[in-house]
Amino acid sequence: ALALTAATSALPGCGDDTSKPASEAQSKSPSETFKRNVEWLELKQDIAPDVWLIARAAAAGETTSPQDGDELRRALAIATRRLGESKRMIANRAVQLELMLNEVGQKDSAIALIINLTAAIGETGQTEGFGAVSQHYFTMRKSGMSRELALQELKLRYGPRT
């Protein structure tokens, strides 16, 4: 159960950082080499997490629409606000979760994970962070739970309180 937590704490790209203004960070376009060779988005890399995730998906042969990019940017902004983690850290954790799920035969893209997990969480302070939500999701999916049921369970546990 601690696999994601231990692994994310060891990621080179998960140190403390401050987010750049969206207009500055989103103006950077990744090179072809960057798209193929960057495994984790590190603090020193001058590229917006949403741009990196979309370039990474394209390099893997996935197609994303401009609406997907807009939805990803909105989800990253919400997750950052609610969880107090940087967009870069959330992107790295989502990529790691994608890889972990692939290893156990579950297919979820990092972009979809950010959008879906962010939609499942409620207000600020209802979770211990994106890593905790990711670990909970991974455990449910690894046990064979469907994507839809796992997201429903997350909403029940971490979702808005009415």
Side-chain angles (χ1 to χ4, degrees):
L2 297 176
L4 181 65
T5 305
T8 56
S9 64
L11 284 178
C14 287
D16 289 338
D17 66 346
T18 56
S19 298
K20 293 183 179 189
S23 59
E24 176 186 334
Q26 289 176 359
S27 66
K28 304 287 183 189
S29 294
S31 69
E32 288 301 312
T33 302
F34 181 84
K35 285 194 274 189
R36 286 190 301 270
N37 296 332
V38 171
E39 212 173 312
W40 305 111
L41 190 58
E42 296 188 40
L43 184 58
K44 66 183 178 186
Q45 290 165 320
D46 194 20
I47 185 166
D50 61 301
V51 173
W52 173 61
L53 289 166
I54 291 167
R56 187 180 169 280
E62 299 172 22
T63 57
T64 56
S65 69
Q67 293 81 11
D68 294 333
D70 291 342
E71 193 172 358
L72 172 61
R73 282 183 283 283
R74 276 192 299 276
L76 280 167
I78 291 167
T80 298
R81 207 170 40 251
R82 289 185 182 165
L83 302 171
E85 296 181 26
S86 72
K87 292 175 184 178
R88 183 186 55 78
M89 174 57 84
I90 292 167
N92 281 339
R93 288 190 177 178
V95 166
Q96 183 181 31
L97 179 57
E98 173 188 292
L99 296 172
M100 290 170 61
L101 287 165
N102 283 339
E103 288 175 8
V104 297
Q106 304 293 337
K107 179 104 173 98
D108 281 295
S109 75
I111 292 172
L113 286 165
I114 291 170
I115 292 167
N116 292 329
L117 296 180
T118 299
I121 60 173
E123 302 306 316
T124 303
Q126 290 182 202
T127 76
E128 293 102 36
F130 196 79
V133 175
S134 297
Q135 181 62 47
H136 193 176
Y137 181 77
F138 175 75
T139 301
M140 290 187 289
R141 296 285 283 139
K142 183 179 178 183
S143 73
M145 192 178 283
S146 72
R147 175 182 298 113
E148 293 76 19
L149 188 55
L151 291 170
Q152 183 180 359
E153 288 292 321
L154 289 176
K155 283 180 186 176
L156 288 173
R157 180 170 180 154
Y158 302 115
R161 306 289 187 239
T162 55

